Amino acid sequence: GQQLNQSPQSMFIQEGEDVSMNCTSSSIFNTWLWYKQDPGEGPVLLIALYKAGELTSNGRLTAQFGITRKDSFLNISASIPSDVGIYFCAGHRDNAGNMLTFGGGTRLMVKP
Amino acid sequence: DGGITQSPKYLFRKEGQNVTLSCEQNLNHDAMYWYRQDPGQGLRLIYYSQIVNDFQKGDIAEGYSVSREKKESFPLTVTSAQKNPTAFYLCASSHLQGTWQPQHFGDGTRLSIL
């Protein structure tokens, strides 16, 4: 099945730096989700975006639903070591039942 | 606590053997899903079920089977026909009633070949 284009694939940053990652698609989605997966664990939902242009924050995390409805962005400010993990975007279309389409993930590594 | 429980955490399979991965949820969710995750890749859908005694194939169903005899349980069997079963398997569930809600995941089962 289709996967979303998520970039970058990996990032190695210094503690305290800000992080940006994005997800793009050739088609429109009605909902964008961002999950974080710690090593050896299941993904945990961070932020859900339901409206084009919506900007939502969760602590140091901020995500945006692109105006074109074909992309979404996740920013992490002032990174800390526990931000390490894999971040996945996922999109949902209203005509796709409850199915999600996932990005390939961004692996974040933080150097203390 | 409400949640999704997958067991076992680690599982080893011998050649020609079928193995079953357990997934139980006490969230009263209608829909349940199984995904496969390979290193450096995203999640691929194996099977999903929206109601008891009914399930549909996902993108990579070959070599797998499922059952949904109870709302809270959705076990996945990795059969001997699955020639490359080594992966991290994730179970998820979600509500289907009312406003659309995202899927929530269990902590996964890592399957390896002996």
Side-chain angles (χ1 to χ4, degrees), chain A residues 39-62:
Chain A
E41 305 292 330
V44 174
L45 183 66
L46 298 174
I47 293 178
L49 302 158
Y50 298 100
K51 189 176 175 183
E54 178 181 353
L55 186 72
T56 296
S57 293
N58 178 6
R60 293 178 295 106
L61 277 62
T62 302

Side-chain angles (χ1 to χ4, degrees), chain B residues 28-43:
Chain B
N28 199 32
H29 283 172
D30 306 291
M32 297 185 74
Y33 315 80
W34 275 105
Y35 292 92
R36 170 177 172 142
Q37 185 178 26
D38 291 287
Q41 295 191 32
L43 280 63

